[in-house]
Amino acid sequence: MPEFAYRARNAFGQDVKGRIEAASSSLAVERLKARELLVLSVAPGAATVVAPAARGAMPFGPRSRSVELALRQIALMRRSGLTLLAAVRGAARVSRSRALRRILEGVAAEVEEGAGFAGSLARHACFPPLVVALARAGETSGTLERALERGAEHLEKRRRLRASILQALFYPAIVVSATVFVTGYLAFEVIPELETFLLGFDRRLPPMTQVLLDVTHWLDAHLAPLAIGVGAGLLAVAILDRWPPTRRLFDAVLYRVPALGGLRRSAGTAVFSRALSVLLDSGIDILASLRLCRDLMPRPLARDDIDRMTGEVAAGEPLARAMGESRSFTPLLASLVEVGEETGNLDHVLDEAAQHEETRVAEWIARANALIEPVMTVAVGAVVGFVYIAFFTSLFAIAGAG
């Protein structure tokens, strides 16, 4: 039976090194966890179990929902007694996504030629590094079905978290767009006709009506340069957000914005905690899990924090202490991780932390929607109401003068 060199930490925070016999690295991690050890690394001979290389996201690949369904279908067909090759081909046949169908057919062809399943998934960006790592651990330990289900669950929860955040922005975006459309229609279609009608009486217009006409004239004269300026500003921000120094600066500024900074921390903490919980529960050691989680985080400050944590944990520091200095995760996470390290249930504590932060994000979204809806309604009503009041004020003034 193969022998693995391991490095772990016991319940007292002391580093423990040794060797253990196991059929695979994943089983070695499971046996060490059964001894209430926090596994830092497992190395067969000179090779160390590490995370797969990070890959960029594919902008026009299959949707996350299709990938989730395919992973669950492969797991189900495997449990039904089908071979892995037959399961992958079966998932390809029933997939409604043409892109995913082609990808799965390619994975099946590689598996048929003798390639590893996880290695074949790693060649396609629609399967995140976390899913690849889970598949590799499941292949090695003989628990591929459960590993694929965990990967699908992680993708689903991450997708729902993103959808909840986008939902909070959807209603304001619709109302703002409607306000701009209504204002533009009034300014460039209705008000010019109104001005022609009122000036035909050759009378002095009321101040409110004159203000409305002055604003309309100013917009008519400056709309083009204003639109170009706004577009250029947004383009400049998008370009600067791709440059690492300014991207970090934007991150630091957004984290200091009241409410928005808290939402970003809670959302990032939820993603990080969920991913780390799934990876540790699947038998992947903590250093490799942290490296994988680093690749899942989209913003540089979170990646910097995870890089620092990984270095400190590798140097012998407890994860909770390394996490306590984080700028991009909530302070509660470090406290919960400390409890998890002391009790040996770090994966379960991280899962509870993820649920807590997801609940906080949902509550924030509910409060934001409750506040934004009446504000937007009043804003639209104010614009339209001002135009109507200015119009009828001028009519009454003309009728009174006549």
Side-chain angles (χ1 to χ4, degrees):
M1 185 174 293
E3 191 175 61
F4 295 87
Y6 68 86
R7 181 184 165 202
R9 186 172 298 133
N10 60 23
F12 301 99
Q14 300 170 332
D15 278 354
V16 179
K17 297 180 180 179
R19 305 184 75 83
I20 185 173
E21 290 186 351
S24 66
S25 59
S26 298
L27 290 178
V29 172
E30 290 295 334
R31 291 185 181 181
L32 292 170
K33 289 176 66 177
R35 300 180 189 177
E36 297 185 352
L37 295 175
L38 179 62
V39 182
L40 299 178
S41 63
V42 174
T48 303
V49 178
V50 296
R55 302 158 300 156
M58 184 169 60
F60 300 107
R63 295 192 307 172
S64 176
R65 191 187 296 270
S66 300
V67 176
E68 297 162 21
L69 181 59
L71 293 175
R72 287 194 168 97
Q73 288 170 339
I74 294 172
L76 177 61
M77 286 186 276
R78 283 279 296 163
R79 280 206 175 92
S80 301
L82 294 181
T83 64
L84 177 60
L85 181 59
V88 175
R89 283 177 173 164
R93 282 196 303 271
V94 299
S95 176
R96 295 183 178 181
S97 169
R98 293 182 179 179
L100 183 58
R101 192 181 308 133
R102 288 194 298 269
I103 290 172
L104 291 176
E105 288 170 353
V107 169
E110 293 178 9
V111 170
E112 188 174 23
E113 293 174 358
F117 178 61
S120 300
L121 294 183
R123 295 183 179 89
H124 304 282
C126 64
F127 300 105
L130 182 141
V131 172
V132 175
L134 291 176
R136 181 170 285 116
E139 257 188 317
T140 306
S141 62
T143 58
L144 181 60
E145 297 82 7
R146 179 58 184 147
L148 294 178
E149 287 180 348
R150 285 172 176 164
E153 290 169 3
H154 171 77
L155 293 178
E156 179 183 7
K157 289 174 180 176
R158 186 180 66 173
R159 173 175 55 80
R160 288 183 175 179
L161 180 63
R162 288 179 176 176
S164 64
I165 296 174
L166 291 176
Q167 181 183 356
L169 303 175
F170 180 75
Y171 178 78
I174 292 296
V175 175
V176 169
S177 300
T179 304
V180 171
F181 175 79
V182 170
T183 304
Y185 177 75
L186 292 174
F188 300 108
E189 294 293 334
V190 176
I191 295 176
E193 298 293 333
L194 172 64
E195 182 180 15
T196 302
F197 172 74
L198 294 176
L199 293 178
F201 289 91
D202 194 20
R203 301 214 181 251
R204 182 181 180 85
L205 298 176
M208 191 174 185
T209 308
Q210 190 61 54
V211 168
L212 175 63
L213 296 177
D214 291 342
V215 171
T216 302
H217 292 156
W218 185 90
L219 285 175
D220 191 32
H222 299 88
L223 181 62
L226 186 64
I228 293 173
V230 171
L234 293 176
L235 180 60
V237 169
I239 293 173
L240 290 173
D241 192 51
R242 294 181 176 274
W243 189 40
T246 50
R247 189 175 175 87
R248 284 182 171 81
L249 177 62
F250 290 162
D251 258 12
V253 170
L254 289 175
Y255 276 125
R256 289 185 173 88
V257 176
L260 180 59
L263 174 65
R264 286 168 58 84
R265 282 190 180 88
S266 290
T269 302
V271 172
F272 172 73
S273 303
R274 181 77 65 193
L276 189 57
S277 170
V278 170
L279 290 166
L280 292 176
D281 188 48
S282 300
I284 300 174
D285 67 78
I286 190 169
L287 291 179
S289 298
L290 285 172
R291 294 187 189 105
L292 280 166
C293 290
R294 189 259 185 201
D295 295 331
L296 294 174
M297 307 306 292
R299 302 302 300 182
L301 282 189
R303 292 187 173 193
D304 292 345
D305 279 338
I306 296 175
D307 285 339
R308 178 187 51 77
M309 285 189 285
T310 304
E312 293 182 11
V313 170
E317 289 287 335
L319 178 60
R321 185 177 301 173
M323 195 173 287
E325 302 175 5
S326 171
R327 299 168 293 173
S328 49
F329 302 124
T330 58
L332 178 63
L333 182 60
S335 302
L336 294 176
V337 167
E338 185 176 5
V339 174
E341 287 183 306
E342 291 176 355
T343 60
N345 292 319
L346 182 57
D347 50 350
H348 299 295
V349 170
L350 286 168
D351 184 67
E352 293 177 0
Q355 293 180 22
H356 172 75
E357 297 300 338
E358 288 168 356
T359 301
R360 288 190 62 187
V361 171
E363 291 174 350
W364 186 94
I365 290 170
R367 290 196 300 268
N369 281 334
L371 177 64
I372 289 172
E373 184 172 351
V375 170
M376 290 297 179
T377 302
V378 170
V380 175
V383 172
V384 178
F386 181 82
V387 173
Y388 276 100
I389 292 173
F391 175 71
F392 285 110
T393 299
S394 60
L395 290 182
F396 293 150
I398 292 171

